Amino acid sequence: MDIEGAKAFIHVLDGKIHELDLDTTIMDGIQSPQIGDTLRVLMPVTEEGHPVITEFMLMELADDYNLLMIYTTVMASIRRNKDKLPAKLIEWNLACPMGHYGIYEEENQLYHKYTLPFPSDAAPEVLAAQAMDLMGLVFELLSNHYPALEEFTAG
């Protein structure tokens, strides 16, 4: 997908997310290997409104393929039982049907990352619809695991 296609994807995805009454921020892309901008959305993953930041970014993979990366940061600092969290993440990752969990050490936060390879000639509208479906699946994964995070974030 070229720069124009990436911009069209971000534009279409931005519109679809706004239909859910969620606010977005578009961050300017950098040079290779990133081919476009990053769309960032702050959304709640629990009924109580616990927020995560989800970012969508397109990257070059090969001549005929690109990657859609969905990177979600849980906005709760790891405050206690940090030594037990790696074992919990191994457990979650073994059962995780898509992507993986990790710890962003610099900010002491949990993240989930999923990448989807797609043909570089994919239509931006089709990819945006697929990204919305994936956002819903990531949301469901995080919603299911969020209560278990209290052991690490509360206090």
Side-chain angles (χ1 to χ4, degrees), residues 50 76 79-81 92 145-155:
H50 296 103
R79 298 174 194 227
R80 56 191 185 112
N81 298 324
W92 288 356
H145 287 138
Y146 202 94
L149 284 177
E150 190 170 322
E151 172 185 351
F152 306 101
T153 60

Side-chain angles (χ1 to χ4, degrees), residues 10 24-30 34 36-41 54-58 69 71:
I10 292 291
T24 61
T25 302
I26 298 175
M27 301 165 48
D28 291 337
I30 56 175
Q34 185 175 336
D37 301 328
T38 299
L39 179 66
R40 180 181 280 177
V41 59
T54 299
E55 297 175 322
F56 298 87
M57 180 188 317
L58 300 179
M69 183 174 76
Y71 187 91

